[in-house]
């Protein structure tokens, strides 16, 4: 089965001073972006060094991945890969009573 490409990319090893806006600017030459967001620590609200960029088109996301994966940005070697869909954990509401 062929791996299906997604329009959402995971970007890791970002500099500590990267902002949502600078992340969007970095990827905007490759196509229309619907979302660019950094993941932040819940307590300190400081970026954790990775984020997600979602393109309107899968082709644009593929171009960005090929162009930026393994590049040095703001003095850091960044990695770009396709984001994996993660399903929300389900809770079993039935008890295990006999």
């Amino acid at each position: 089965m062929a791996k299906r490409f997604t329009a959402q990319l995971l970007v890791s090893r970002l500099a500590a001073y990267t902002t949502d806006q600078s992340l969007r600017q970095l990827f905007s030459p490759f196509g229309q972006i619907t979302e660019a967001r950094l993941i932040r620590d819940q307590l300190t609200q400081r970026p954790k060094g990775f984020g997600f960029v979602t393109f309107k088109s899968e082709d644009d996301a593929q171009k960005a991945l090929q162009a930026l994966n393994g590049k040095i940005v703001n003095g850091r070697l960044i990695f770009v890969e396709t984001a994996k869909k993660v399903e929300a954990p389900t809770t079993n509401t039935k008890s295990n009573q006999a």
Side-chain angles (χ1 to χ4, degrees), residues 6-71:
T6 177
Q8 186 175 53
L9 301 175
L10 167 66
V11 187
S12 58
R13 296 186 44 89
L14 293 166
Y17 52 86
T18 302
T19 64
D20 290 337
Q21 182 179 354
S22 65
L23 184 62
R24 180 179 289 270
Q25 287 175 340
L26 176 64
F27 282 84
S28 64
F30 302 99
Q32 187 174 357
I33 296 172
T34 58
E35 180 183 37
R37 65 184 168 92
L38 294 171
I39 304 303
R40 300 181 180 280
D41 182 275
Q42 289 183 349
L43 296 176
T44 65
Q45 290 302 306
R46 293 171 59 184
K48 288 188 168 189
F50 68 97
F52 295 93
V53 178
T54 306
F55 283 87
K56 191 168 188 172
S57 154
E58 290 180 8
D59 291 336
D60 292 342
Q62 181 69 32
K63 287 188 284 187
L65 184 147
Q66 290 174 348
L68 293 175
N69 185 37
K71 299 293 181 190

Side-chain angles (χ1 to χ4, degrees), residues 13-14 26 67-79:
R13 296 186 44 89
L14 293 166
L26 176 64
L68 293 175
N69 185 37
K71 299 293 181 190
I72 296 178
V73 177
N74 296 326
R76 300 284 308 251
L77 176 68
I78 67 166
F79 295 108

